[in-house]
């Protein structure tokens, strides 16, 4: 694990919830976020720990966190020696968590972290849900004119593939059961798509998610999101996750479309050219058969893996 040094466990009873707080170049406001989270959790009285992980910041974020660690008994600070990305921080933070309920949020003052106790209590009081997501009702991120339509299209594609309604596919504010998440942590990518991955992992495996409407403020500091690069990875991750769990839903429609198109074209060609089939007709039929065969093999691999 690429951490600065050994993290000493907190004394006292085991926490009910662990709040994982990724920090990267947040020196100007990370203390405000720590104060905000600890205050609402202390006021609630729920046993908790706040795991603040500095992802090898180039500013003084880690220094700020270390300077106040002794002042907050529920705060644990971890420093990475190498930058691993938001997904890596969340994965390692979840693995280190002592609480059965793990909360993910950001340190940029954008999420309604005052709602964290509410999200945790939903899981404590209702065993039928394994994850609670703070579904944002507004979009305040950078590149808003591009992000809103792009996220809408990607979310609709994910809903079709997952066969469920998804109010917010990639919200950074969520709480889930650690024991349920452990088999899926290895699937998390290093970047921002980790929240999409944990959403689809739960949905594709019949783990119910409850969506709670939340507000979303303009972030403090500079955004680490790069529209072209991260949007491309976002789309790929949606398709990758569905392929991992249900490959037939991605490949078989394409296979049937190509084969059906080739079959219809072949019938037309047969009457127009006296049983002569052009190369493009054969290519459509063969492509459909090959993709269909790959889809069946992929489904077989998924079923064999799940039964292992």
């Amino acid at each position: 694990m690429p951490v600065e040094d050994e993290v000493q466990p907190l004394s006292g009873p085991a926490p009910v919830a662990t709040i994982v707080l990724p920090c990267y170049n947040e020196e100007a406001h990370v203390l405000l976020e720590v104060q905000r989270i600890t205050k609402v959790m202390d006021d609630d009285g729920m046993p908790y720990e706040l795991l603040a992980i500095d992802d090898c910041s180039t500013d003084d974020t880690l220094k700020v966190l270390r300077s106040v660690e002794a002042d907050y008994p529920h705060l644990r600070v971890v420093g990475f020696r190498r930058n691993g990305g938001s997904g890596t921080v969340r994965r390692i933070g979840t693995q280190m968590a002592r609480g059965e309920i793990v909360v993910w949020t950001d340190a940029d003052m954008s999420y309604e972290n005052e709602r964290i106790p509410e999200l945790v209590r939903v899981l404590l009081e209702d065993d039928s849900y394994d994850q609670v997501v703070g579904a944002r009702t507004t979009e305040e991120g950078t590149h808003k004119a591009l992000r809103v339509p792009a996220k809408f299209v990607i979310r609709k594609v994910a809903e079709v593939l997952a066969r469920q309604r998804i109010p917010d596919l990639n919200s950074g504010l969520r709480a889930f059961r650690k024991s349920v998440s452990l088999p899926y942590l290895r699937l998390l990518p290093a970047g921002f798509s980790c929240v999409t991955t944990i959403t689809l992992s739960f949905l594709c495996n019949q783990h119910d998610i409850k969506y709670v409407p939340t507000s979303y403020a303009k972030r403090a500091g500079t955004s680490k999101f790069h529209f072209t690069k991260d949007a491309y990875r976002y789309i790929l991750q949606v398709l990758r996750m569905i392929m991992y769990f249900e490959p037939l839903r991605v490949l078989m429609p394409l296979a049937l479309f190509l084969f059906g198109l080739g079959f219809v074209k072949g019938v037309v060609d047969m009457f127009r050219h006296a049983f002569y089939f052009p190369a493009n007709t054969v290519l459509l039929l063969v492509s459909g058969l090959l993709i269909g065969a790959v889809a069946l093999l992929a489904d077989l691999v998924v079923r064999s893996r799940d039964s292992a």
Side-chain angles (χ1 to χ4, degrees), residues 20-160:
V20 178
L21 187 68
C23 306
Y24 180 69
N25 291 348
E26 315 279 5
E27 66 170 330
H29 47 267
V30 68
L31 180 55
L32 294 175
E33 194 68 89
V34 168
Q35 292 171 342
R36 184 163 69 127
I37 295 174
T38 54
K39 182 181 185 305
V40 69
M41 295 302 294
D42 289 340
D43 290 345
D44 182 87
M46 179 189 305
Y48 76 98
E49 65 175 344
L50 174 57
L51 189 57
I53 303 179
D54 177 72
D55 193 18
C56 194
S57 296
T58 57
D59 62 6
D60 289 331
T61 298
L62 182 59
K63 183 178 179 180
V64 171
L65 290 170
R66 291 291 188 202
S67 68
V68 300
E69 187 174 12
D71 299 330
Y72 295 91
H74 299 285
L75 175 64
R76 298 168 66 196
V77 177
V78 179
F80 280 13
R81 294 196 183 100
R82 300 184 299 278
N83 180 264
S86 175
T88 302
V89 171
R90 288 182 166 92
R91 174 178 57 82
I92 293 177
T94 302
Q95 292 169 334
M96 295 176 64
R98 294 198 302 151
E100 168 56 17
I101 306 300
V102 177
V103 179
W104 286 357
T105 189
D106 289 338
D108 56 13
M109 308 297 291
S110 59
Y111 285 102
E112 199 175 1
N113 287 334
E114 293 83 1
R115 304 278 298 277
I116 289 177
E118 176 187 344
L119 301 186
V120 174
R121 292 198 181 281
V122 170
L123 297 177
L124 295 177
E125 296 171 1
D126 192 342
D127 292 338
S128 65
Y129 290 108
D130 291 316
Q131 185 171 172
V132 184
V133 174
R136 295 163 294 181
T137 55
T138 59
E139 174 60 66
E140 299 294 340
T142 56
H143 310 288
K144 186 174 180 179
L146 296 174
R147 285 175 63 144
V148 171
K151 289 173 66 173
F152 176 81
V153 172
I154 296 171
R155 178 166 58 84
K156 289 303 178 183
V157 170
E159 287 181 342
V160 171

Side-chain angles (χ1 to χ4, degrees), residues 207-275:
H207 299 297
D208 290 335
I209 298 177
K210 182 173 183 177
Y211 297 91
V212 178
T214 61
S215 61
Y216 185 64
K218 185 177 181 181
R219 67 154 290 135
T222 304
S223 174
K224 288 84 176 178
F225 182 86
H226 301 89
F227 179 79
T228 304
K229 179 177 67 175
D230 290 320
Y232 174 70
R233 291 176 178 175
Y234 184 27
I235 297 172
L236 284 184
Q237 190 63 18
V238 170
L239 295 176
R240 182 182 294 122
M241 291 308 300
I242 301 300
M243 279 287 294
Y244 186 86
F245 293 113
E246 295 191 60
L248 289 180
R249 291 193 59 80
V250 176
L251 296 177
M252 194 53 74
L254 177 61
L256 293 176
F257 172 77
L258 292 176
F259 185 83
L261 184 62
F263 180 81
V264 172
K265 190 175 185 301
V267 172
V268 173
D269 291 336
M270 183 177 63
F271 286 101
R272 291 181 60 188
H273 305 291
F275 295 97

